[in-house]
Amino acid sequence: PSDTRDAAQARVRRAPAPVTDVARLCVCDLLVAQCDVNCCCDPDCSAEDFSLFTTCSVPVVTGDSQLCSQKAAVYSLDVEANPPERIFKLIDQVNPSIFCIHATNYEQALYLKSPEIPTPENFDQFIDKYGGATFSAEPDSWNLDTDAQNPPDANETSRYEYGLPVQTEDAFLRLPSPVVSSWCSDANPAGFLVNQATKCIRAVSVEKCDSIQALSMLFYINSSILAVPKSSQMVNITVQSIVVQSLDGMRTLLSSSDVLRLPMVLDELCINAVLGVNYHITHTDTGEIIEAAAAFVLGAISKETLSIEQSFEISFTQENTQPVPLSGNPGYVVGLPVRAGFQPQGYPFPAAFLSNKHSQLTILHSTSTQDCLAAQGARAPVLFGYNMISGCKLRITAAMKCQPLAQTLLDVLKGQSFPEYVASFGNSQVQDVLDWVPITQLLISEQMISHTLQSSCQIPVSLGIEVKWTKYGSLVNPQARIVNVTATITTTTLKQLRSGRERIIPVMSSVVFTDISSPAEPSYKAWPTIDIKLPFDFFYPFV
Amino acid sequence: LSSLPLQILLYVNGVYYIFYFLATLAMIIYKSQVFSYPDDLLAPDLTVLFLMAILEVPRSYLGFKGNLTEAEGPLGLSLGLTVGSVVLCVYLLLWQTYVLWADVLLNAVLLAGYGLESGLKVTAIAAFVS
C-alpha cells in the first residue's frame, strides 16, 4: 500500500515533459484523433484530407528566432499537383543578425519553465514564496490597511437614500403594482422618497376570502419598518384611518381605527377586504424613518366578483414641514395647478408670500344642478395650459336686493380667497418676491343698448382669467413661464323686475392660456472678414 | 634591441582592448534588457569582465616597460598575467550566460591578439636573456 502511494505521488509530481522537437510540434492540432481543417502539421490528417485543404494555417514551426541557427519545420501545400499534397520540409533557419544567440549556458532562457507541482512536502515553501500580497489575484486584498476600510462602509448604509427600498423586518415594504400585465405583483418594493400610486387587479373569490393574504389588513401592517437600513430600530405601521366602501361605492369613514378588521364571510359576501392602502411615511432630513401610517379602504366582495381592483399609494413627508407640491421645475408643466399666493399684510415691501393649499387659483366648478347659489364652494383648480370654461344659472326674483346679490355673485365667481399673486415659474419659492406676478383685476361694465344712465344695479356675470405665458430658456428645452395674469369681471345692469316675475341669467367663468412667446429668431455668426494689409514698406523705393 | 613588432602589437592590443571592453559591457547591458538575465548569472559575467580590465592595466604596462628597457623580468610577469587574461577571455567566449555571435567575434580576435603577443614576448625574452 505504501509503495503504491509513493508511486502515485511520483506520478503526480511530474508534469508532462515539454515537447521541443519542431517536427512534432503542432499548434493547430486542437481536435484529438480528428483532422483539423487547414492544419498541415496535424498527424491525424491523411493524404486525402490534405488534398482538400486550401492553405496551411501554420506555415512554419520554429523555436526561438533569436538563435543563430535552428531547426524549422516548414509546411506548405503544393496546389499545382493533382490532387494537392502537403509538403513537409525540415530546414535550418539562420538568423543573419550579429546579435543572434550563438550559445547559451542557461537552459531556462529559451523554454518555459515546467511548473512545480505542490506536494505536502514543499507546500509550506510555496506559501512562503507566493502567499504574500504581491501574488494575490484579487486587487482588494492588496490594501494592507484593512481596518481603515470598514468604517466608511458602515457610514454608507446607515441611512436611507433616494430610491433605496424601504426595508422591513422580513423583506421590503411591499407596494403591489402591475408588472407586465394588470395583475398585482407583491414583489414591488417601495423606494424611499419615491411617491408612487399604483392600481392593479387581484383575483379573488368569496370562498377563499380569509385565505388570500393580500385582502387582509394584517398583510400590509404586519412587519415593522426599519428606521435605518440594516439596523434593529423598528417603526410600527399604525392604522391612520379606515374607510369602508359599500357594494354600490359609497364610502364611510369609520370613527375608530384601532380595531383591526380582518376579512370574513358574512351573508355570502366577503367583507373587510382591502381595496386600497395609502401609506404615509414621515422621515427626518438625515434619511431616517420615524413614523409610518397606513390608511385603508375596506370593501365587500360579492359571490360573482372574480377580481377586484386594488389601489396603493405611498407618500413621504419630512418631519415638521408642510410639503408644497411643485407645478414644474422650473417651467410649468401642462396639467399641474397654477400656484398662487397672497402678500402678507403689514409689510411695507413684500418680503415673502403666503402660499398654501388654500390659496390656489380656482374657478367655479359647474355642478349638475347648475344653480349658482347652491353651488357655492364647488371650485376647480386652474391647471396650467388647460383652457376652462364653466358656468351656472342664476335665478333672480324681484325680492332680491342688488348689493347682496352682487356680493354673492362675486363670491361665486372668485371664490372665498382669490389670490393676489401667481407664481411665474412652477417652482417659485415664496421668498423670491420677484418670481411672482400680480394678478391685474379689470372691471368692465356692459352697458345696455338703451344707455340708461341712472345708477342701476351692476352685477358681475362673468369672470375671465387670461394667463399670458411665454417660452423661456433654451430653444431645445423651453420652459413655460407665466408673464401676466388678468382677471376681468364683466358686470351687467340688473333691471328691476316686476314683482312675482323671475329671470334666469347665465353666469360664466373662464380661463384662457395664451402663448405670447416671440418667435425664435435664428442668429448667425458674423461672416469672417479678410483683413489684409500690405507691409509697411512694401513700396519701399518709391514711398 | 627592443622588439619592434612586439611594441606595435602591444600598442594595438591596448587600443583594441578598450574597444573590446566597451563593446562587451554594452552587449551585456543589451542582453540583460532583451533576454531573461537573472541577477545570480549577471554578477559572475560582469565580475569576469571587470577583472580582466583590472588585469589588463599592469599587464600592458609591464609589457611596454619590459620591451623598452630590454628587461626580461617585467616581460615574464606580463606573460604570466597574459595567461590569466586568456583564461578569462575563454570564459567569456564559452561559459557566458548568452554568447552572441558578436561576442564570439570579439573574443576570438582578442584571443588571437593575446596568442600572437605571447609568442612575440617569448621570442623577446629569449633575445634579452641571451
Side-chain angles (χ1 to χ4, degrees):
Chain A
S2 68
D3 45 356
T4 51
R5 192 158 41 93
D6 286 338
Q9 271 183 353
R11 274 200 299 274
V12 159
R13 213 169 297 150
R14 259 176 294 134
V19 173
T20 52
D21 183 6
V22 288
R24 293 196 296 135
L25 268 175
C26 198
V27 277
C28 55
D29 181 12
L30 300 167
L31 300 169
V32 175
Q34 262 186 58
C35 183
D36 291 89
V37 178
N38 276 348
C39 186
C40 296
C41 53
D42 195 343
D44 308 315
C45 295
S46 61
E48 296 97 58
D49 297 321
F50 285 130
S51 63
L52 297 170
F53 291 170
T54 47
T55 73
C56 280
S57 58
V58 174
V60 164
V61 181
T62 65
D64 193 343
S65 57
Q66 302 261 31
L67 292 172
C68 287
S69 144
Q70 52 177 316
K71 280 213 162 339
V74 177
Y75 301 94
S76 59
L77 272 183
D78 184 11
V79 288
E80 305 292 321
N82 188 11
E85 50 186 39
R86 169 198 82 158
I87 304 175
F88 166 64
K89 282 196 290 234
L90 204 60
I91 60 171
D92 278 320
Q93 204 180 48
V94 172
N95 185 355
S97 160
I98 200 167
F99 297 118
C100 65
I101 300 179
H102 178 76
T104 171
N105 294 305
Y106 173 46
E107 305 86 36
Q108 291 159 316
L110 303 173
Y111 303 109
L112 292 173
K113 202 164 98 154
S114 291
E116 289 170 49
I117 309 287
T119 59
E121 290 83 43
N122 59 9
F123 190 75
D124 295 322
Q125 217 184 344
F126 282 133
I127 284 285
D128 287 334
K129 222 159 118 181
Y130 301 115
T134 41
F135 282 101
S136 168
E138 282 163 52
D140 287 344
S141 59
W142 289 352
N143 190 0
L144 298 170
D145 191 7
T146 51
D147 292 332
Q149 265 185 358
N150 291 327
D153 284 333
N155 265 339
E156 297 278 292
T157 52
S158 73
R159 53 185 169 81
Y160 279 109
E161 290 175 1
Y162 178 87
L164 208 67
V166 174
Q167 293 178 4
T168 62
E169 268 180 292
D170 41 5
F172 300 109
L173 185 65
R174 284 171 294 254
L175 204 73
S177 65
V179 178
V180 183
S181 64
S182 321
W183 295 98
C184 286
S185 153
D186 291 330
N188 182 39
F192 187 67
L193 289 187
V194 179
N195 293 335
Q196 276 181 308
T198 59
K199 278 199 208 324
C200 56
I201 305 177
R202 204 176 285 275
V204 295
S205 72
V206 177
E207 296 85 53
K208 295 202 283 225
C209 181
D210 37 10
S211 62
I212 300 182
Q213 270 203 321
L215 290 177
S216 145
M217 272 173 71
L218 263 185
F219 181 67
Y220 299 99
I221 57 173
N222 205 0
S223 45
S224 347
I225 298 179
L226 302 178
V228 281
K230 296 196 180 72
S231 80
S232 51
Q233 248 183 315
M234 303 286 181
V235 174
N236 286 327
I237 308 180
T238 57
V239 178
Q240 198 180 28
S241 66
I242 302 181
V243 165
V244 174
Q245 179 170 318
S246 68
L247 275 174
D248 54 9
M250 190 161 83
R251 291 189 174 187
T252 324
L253 179 66
L254 290 186
S255 50
S256 74
S257 48
D258 306 332
V259 179
L260 212 60
R261 298 165 81 93
L262 296 174
M264 53 190 198
V265 185
L266 190 69
D267 287 342
E268 295 186 354
L269 286 179
C270 176
I271 62 169
N272 294 340
V274 172
L275 293 182
V277 186
N278 202 330
Y279 288 105
H280 295 282
I281 314 268
T282 313
H283 65 95
T284 64
D285 53 355
T286 55
E288 211 183 291
I289 294 181
I290 49 175
E291 239 183 271
F296 286 92
V297 174
L298 302 179
I301 307 176
S302 60
K303 252 182 36 160
E304 300 89 36
T305 342
L306 295 172
S307 63
I308 53 165
E309 185 184 64
Q310 291 185 313
S311 61
F312 300 94
E313 203 182 312
I314 186 165
S315 64
F316 290 86
T317 323
Q318 198 170 316
E319 60 170 347
N320 301 330
T321 61
Q322 291 276 21
V324 172
L326 295 178
S327 299
N329 197 14
Y332 272 101
V333 172
V334 168
L336 292 184
V338 171
R339 294 179 54 219
F342 297 93
Q343 187 183 337
Q345 307 295 335
Y347 285 94
F349 303 104
F353 290 106
L354 289 174
S355 173
N356 49 29
K357 286 198 294 270
H358 305 292
S359 64
Q360 268 193 331
L361 192 63
T362 56
I363 65 164
L364 173 73
H365 186 62
S366 308
T367 56
S368 49
T369 56
Q370 292 190 5
D371 189 353
C372 289
L373 303 173
Q376 282 185 14
R379 306 207 54 92
V382 171
L383 304 175
F384 184 81
Y386 287 1
N387 297 342
M388 296 200 264
I389 188 165
S390 63
C392 57
K393 291 201 185 61
L394 180 69
R395 232 170 41 129
I396 307 179
T397 60
M400 284 186 184
K401 293 276 193 303
C402 177
Q403 268 311 100
L405 186 61
Q407 191 56 44
T408 314
L409 274 177
L410 210 60
D411 282 340
V412 164
L413 280 173
K414 285 171 99 173
Q416 286 300 334
S417 54
F418 194 71
E420 299 164 2
Y421 288 85
V422 164
S424 180
F425 285 107
N427 65 347
S428 296
Q429 304 292 318
V430 289
Q431 306 91 288
D432 305 326
V433 166
L434 296 172
D435 274 348
W436 293 75
V437 171
I439 299 183
T440 317
Q441 308 224 7
L442 293 181
L443 195 65
I444 299 181
S445 66
E446 263 178 16
Q447 293 288 350
M448 299 291 283
I449 300 174
S450 57
H451 291 290
T452 49
L453 286 173
Q454 65 262 45
S455 58
S456 46
C457 184
Q458 298 279 350
I459 50 166
V461 285
S462 111
L463 166 70
I465 301 178
E466 190 181 359
V467 180
K468 293 204 180 81
W469 63 279
T470 176
K471 291 202 193 85
Y472 185 82
S474 77
L475 253 169
V476 174
N477 187 14
Q479 305 295 313
R481 178 190 183 170
I482 292 182
V483 179
N484 193 348
V485 180
T486 312
T488 312
I489 304 243
T490 314
T491 61
T492 183
T493 320
L494 178 67
K495 280 208 311 232
Q496 199 61 353
L497 284 171
R498 291 195 292 275
S499 73
R501 307 222 40 173
E502 56 182 40
R503 231 178 87 188
I504 296 182
I505 52 171
V507 170
M508 201 177 68
S509 70
S510 64
V511 179
V512 170
F513 285 88
T514 321
D515 179 4
I516 59 164
S517 41
S518 47
E521 282 167 13
S523 61
Y524 299 102
K525 264 168 53 166
W527 277 99
T529 53
I530 302 172
D531 196 4
I532 306 177
K533 274 218 265 283
L534 289 173
F536 166 68
D537 52 357
F538 192 70
F539 298 114
Y540 168 58
F542 308 107
V543 170
Chain B
L1 222 48
S2 319
S3 161
L4 183 60
L6 179 60
Q7 192 68 16
I8 295 169
L9 196 58
L10 278 173
Y11 188 74
V12 166
N13 263 354
V15 171
Y16 175 74
Y17 184 78
I18 294 170
F19 164 73
Y20 166 88
F21 174 77
L22 290 172
T24 309
L25 188 64
M27 278 204 290
I28 289 184
I29 293 171
Y30 164 79
K31 278 182 267 188
S32 72
Q33 297 301 312
V34 170
F35 304 124
S36 145
Y37 215 143
D39 287 343
D40 51 353
L41 291 173
L42 183 61
D45 290 349
L46 278 176
T47 314
V48 163
L49 185 64
F50 280 98
L51 206 58
M52 208 158 90
I54 292 168
L55 268 183
E56 181 69 19
V57 175
R59 191 192 72 90
S60 211
Y61 173 76
L62 287 169
F64 273 112
K65 185 167 150 198
N67 191 26
L68 289 175
T69 58
E70 295 173 38
E72 60 275 6
L75 264 185
L77 212 54
S78 177
L79 195 60
L81 289 176
T82 307
V83 170
S85 280
V86 162
V87 166
L88 293 176
C89 183
V90 163
Y91 172 89
L92 284 179
L93 179 63
L94 291 179
W95 298 309
Q96 235 186 106
T97 312
Y98 291 98
V99 182
L100 304 183
W101 184 238
D103 272 325
V104 170
L105 285 173
L106 283 173
N107 282 299
V109 168
L110 192 66
L111 268 180
Y114 282 165
L116 200 57
E117 200 187 290
S118 306
L120 284 175
K121 275 189 195 149
V122 165
T123 319
I125 290 173
F128 296 148
V129 163
S130 64

